[in-house]
Amino acid sequence: MSRRKIIAGNWKMNKTPSEAVALVNELKPLVANDDVDVVFCVPAIDIVPVVAAVKGSNIQVGAENMYFEESGAYTGEIAPAMLVDAGVKYVVLGHSERREYFGETNDDVNKKVRKALEHDLVPIMCCGESLKQREQGVTMDFVRQQVKVGLQGVTAEEAKKVVIAYEPIWAIGTGVTATTEQAQEVCAAIRVCIKEVYDGATADAIRIQYGGSVNAATAGELFAQVDIDGGLVGGASLKPEFGDIVNYK
């Protein structure tokens, strides 16, 4: 089946609100492409001004994280309803940096995925192995576990809305990109895992991104693979080069 590509920029902890608006205004004409979904996942403090800045364009806005409770005494956290009210459509969950630096577990990610779906937010659920795990030959086992636990309690219809981002940790921010064959192999395995958990129709519908030092030179070949439905782009999403990635050839 033909799945619509989704190309999302993960800004991470970069850009003040005024800098964010300036970047949006610079990138808007460069990322104009009605054939793909374009998402800017921005720091929480940038969400409101960026939502205003992208109005009338093809860009949708995502958050980089959220909490799994509706409200309460959770100082510093952001509730899903807050994101929805601010105009957010997507939310990155379970990024390797959240797992490594802030101790997020597969169970935490699962709670967030289910809560995001309750609020009609599209989760971009991240998974990926470390260099040591790849060298040990446990990549598939590790990634399958992340996917299976992350989707526990999620129905097939809900799962079709989820975007899965495969990001090998050893390729994030290192300038090293997984080979096209490596990226396709794991994304194909994720799709097989989805088919095992749900069914073929769900596996065919779900969109799987590749992330990890994606750039204009590698985007076209990566996105041409049968099981890669776009990218979650880090550093390059903060540069004019992001336009070349969105309009990949």
Side-chain angles (χ1 to χ4, degrees):
M1 92 179 261
S2 178
R3 292 176 295 271
R4 184 175 171 86
K5 300 290 193 219
I6 174 168
I7 302 171
N10 178 17
W11 289 16
K12 306 193 179 185
M13 196 177 72
N14 292 293
K15 302 302 178 183
T16 65
S18 58
E19 290 171 341
V21 170
L23 180 60
V24 167
N25 289 332
E26 180 183 10
L27 292 180
K28 263 195 294 193
L30 304 179
V31 301
N33 185 339
D34 292 331
D35 295 327
V36 301
D37 289 338
V38 179
V39 186
F40 288 179
C41 299
V42 306
I45 199 169
D46 295 342
I47 288 172
V48 171
V50 167
V51 166
V54 303
K55 195 170 184 179
S57 75
N58 62 310
I59 301 164
Q60 294 184 307
V61 179
E64 297 180 14
N65 188 32
M66 55 156 253
Y67 200 50
F68 50 73
E69 295 288 356
E70 294 289 343
S71 62
Y74 306 104
T75 301
E77 292 293 340
I78 297 177
M82 297 175 183
L83 297 180
V84 172
D85 191 65
V88 168
K89 303 295 184 187
Y90 293 81
V91 57
V92 177
L93 299 174
H95 192 280
S96 63
E97 290 158 2
R98 297 294 314 174
R99 296 174 190 262
E100 179 181 358
Y101 303 141
F102 304 102
E104 290 192 6
T105 65
N106 289 339
D107 287 332
D108 292 332
V109 175
N110 174 243
K111 290 177 185 177
K112 292 182 178 187
V113 166
R114 287 189 284 128
K115 183 58 68 174
L117 289 166
E118 282 180 26
H119 287 265
D120 290 324
L121 288 164
V122 177
I124 299 177
M125 188 180 82
C126 300
C127 59
E129 82 285 10
S130 67
L131 181 59
K132 183 177 181 180
Q133 288 159 339
R134 175 161 282 274
E135 291 173 341
Q136 291 172 335
V138 298
T139 292
M140 299 307 182
D141 293 334
F142 185 77
V143 171
R144 282 170 60 89
Q145 182 182 33
Q146 288 182 312
V147 171
K148 284 187 172 184
V149 176
L151 292 176
Q152 278 188 341
V154 175
T155 68
E157 283 308 303
E158 289 173 329
K160 291 174 183 177
K161 304 171 189 173
V162 177
V163 176
I164 296 177
Y166 167 58
E167 293 197 305
I169 298 169
W170 47 272
I172 298 175
T174 62
V176 177
T177 307
T179 66
T180 303
E181 292 74 22
Q182 287 172 324
Q184 164 58 23
E185 180 184 32
V186 179
C187 289
I190 292 171
R191 204 172 299 284
V192 169
C193 180
I194 298 296
K195 184 176 181 179
E196 292 171 1
V197 173
Y198 297 105
D199 50 51
T202 305
D204 286 341
I206 202 162
R207 295 188 290 179
I208 303 173
Q209 298 174 310
Y210 169 75
S213 299
V214 175
N215 56 52
T218 59
E221 186 176 349
L222 284 165
F223 300 166
Q225 301 307 301
V226 66
D227 289 299
I228 300 178
D229 305 310
L232 183 59
V233 183
S237 70
L238 299 167
K239 305 172 185 174
E241 176 187 6
F242 192 54
D244 295 325
I245 296 172
V246 167
N247 294 287
Y248 66 95
K249 297 291 186 279

